[in-house]
Amino acid sequence: MQAVHGAMANFRLALIQLHVSAIKSENLQRACGLVREASAKGAKVVALPECFNSPYGTKYFKEYAEKIPGESTQKLSEVAKECSIYLVGGSIPEEDCGKLYNTCAVFGPDGAMLAKHRKVHLFDINVPGKIQFKESETLSPGNSFSMFDTPYCKVGLGICYDIRFAEMAQVYGQKGCQLLIYPGAFNLTTGPAHWELLQRGRAVDNQVYVATVSPARDEKASYVAWGHSTVVNPWGEVIAKAGAEETVLYTDIDLKKLAEIRQQIPILSQKRCDLYGIEMKK
């Protein structure tokens, strides 16, 4: 069982359920304003939603794409440093060597980039009569796991569709992550069906905290996000949940509780590695 460091056993997490418009500069300005507000209310780790600087859709990715570092990530770096927080920059469309990625950049209290997660599993689905979407029409997949350290705990990153892949969360658990953060924009078909279920599954299977950060719902958008940014504890309980509108969701993450749960139900040490295994290949 991992030791929990005295005063660092608790920290405040803020999830920014941003209303995203078609104007990039406005999205950036409002995101940074809400980051400052969250920091003023004691948040030490702050997360933005998937595609926070642009509308979500294959037709928008190329138009809004940027290099990393670039305009959007520069702003995130500056506000993380100004507020002295860990900032999980949701995701933005990233352009690199002629390819586009759905990418989350994380910045530390000194403004340095700590991680860059490119969405590993692309959202290609077809539910007849309800929703069809194919990210792979324009995006390329990332090829790596992404973790970063804080004075509180190690954090693992995924983006939206990544949450459906239990193996990814298990690898993060094996590597010592105690909080998994998934910026994500589920929709009005998959949201009510699976959004909370998947988070609770990832949390209880790996005895970790799971946080998801959605954009606010905009009924007029071409892709309507479900909203309902959520935090689930390692017992599988939903401890915070937003509605559909723009809001900042605050939760105190209690790592002592995580340690207690792992002691009470010690599944992590009871795994039958002689019978099965999940491994990180790269």
Side-chain angles (χ1 to χ4, degrees):
M1 197 179 74
Q2 281 161 325
V4 176
H5 312 291
M8 296 295 190
N10 269 35
F11 66 94
R12 177 161 283 193
L13 171 68
L15 308 180
I16 296 177
Q17 186 163 289
L18 184 73
H19 183 276
V20 179
S21 77
I23 304 162
K24 187 191 279 190
S25 58
E26 191 181 283
N27 294 329
L28 286 171
Q29 194 179 348
R30 291 193 29 265
C32 290
L34 290 170
V35 168
R36 290 185 186 98
E37 181 185 307
S39 167
K41 291 190 177 169
K44 301 296 180 201
V45 179
V46 179
L48 289 163
E50 180 178 28
C51 231
F52 82 89
N53 73 347
S54 77
Y56 180 78
T58 49
K59 66 180 180 200
Y60 300 111
F61 295 144
K62 191 173 181 2
E63 182 191 341
Y64 286 81
E66 296 179 21
K67 299 277 189 205
I68 296 178
E71 177 197 0
S72 296
T73 50
Q74 181 58 34
K75 289 268 192 298
L76 297 183
S77 166
E78 287 165 9
V79 77
K81 186 174 183 178
E82 175 195 325
C83 297
S84 194
I85 53 160
Y86 289 87
L87 179 57
V88 177
S91 81
I92 67 169
E94 177 201 8
E95 191 277 321
D96 185 31
C97 300
K99 287 186 170 180
L100 298 177
Y101 302 92
N102 186 342
T103 305
C104 173
V106 179
F107 297 90
D110 59 355
M113 187 159 73
L114 301 178
K116 186 172 88 165
H117 180 72
R118 290 171 168 169
K119 188 175 192 172
V120 169
H121 303 92
L122 295 182
F123 180 54
D124 288 5
I125 69 162
N126 183 8
V127 182
K130 295 200 170 165
I131 183 162
Q132 186 169 4
F133 201 94
K134 201 167 183 193
E135 267 188 334
S136 65
E137 279 174 5
T138 49
L139 298 182
S140 296
N143 293 313
S144 61
F145 291 88
S146 309
M147 295 165 258
F148 66 97
D149 286 302
T150 73
Y152 319 105
C153 67
K154 186 184 269 195
V155 180
L157 297 172
I159 297 173
C160 200
Y161 203 55
D162 285 338
I163 201 171
R164 287 193 181 268
F165 299 85
E167 299 84 350
M168 194 170 178
Q170 279 181 267
V171 166
Y172 283 141
Q174 282 173 8
K175 298 289 176 190
C177 296
Q178 297 184 342
L179 168 64
L180 306 183
I181 298 179
Y182 295 91
F186 270 45
N187 53 68
L188 302 190
T189 298
T190 61
H194 302 144
W195 177 245
E196 187 182 296
L197 174 67
L198 286 163
Q199 295 170 66
R200 294 182 70 193
R202 299 297 83 92
V204 83
D205 276 352
N206 301 292
Q207 297 179 318
V208 294
Y209 282 91
V210 173
T212 53
V213 204
S214 171
R217 189 179 305 171
D218 178 359
E219 303 283 359
K220 297 187 289 292
S222 58
Y223 180 94
V224 182
W226 175 235
H228 297 296
S229 299
T230 305
V231 183
V232 179
N233 72 13
W235 193 255
E237 295 168 313
V238 173
I239 54 172
K241 188 171 193 172
E245 68 297 328
E246 181 173 276
T247 187
V248 181
L249 188 69
Y250 297 94
T251 324
D252 290 315
I253 300 293
D254 182 354
L255 298 171
K256 195 162 136 292
K257 184 179 180 76
L258 180 145
E260 284 166 4
I261 288 168
R262 290 182 172 190
Q263 216 164 7
Q264 292 161 5
I265 306 180
I267 54 172
L268 302 178
S269 61
Q270 293 169 334
K271 289 191 187 281
R272 287 290 304 274
C273 300
D274 56 324
L275 292 178
Y276 50 75
I278 296 281
E279 58 161 339
M280 176 165 133
K281 294 191 171 175
K282 61 194 247 189

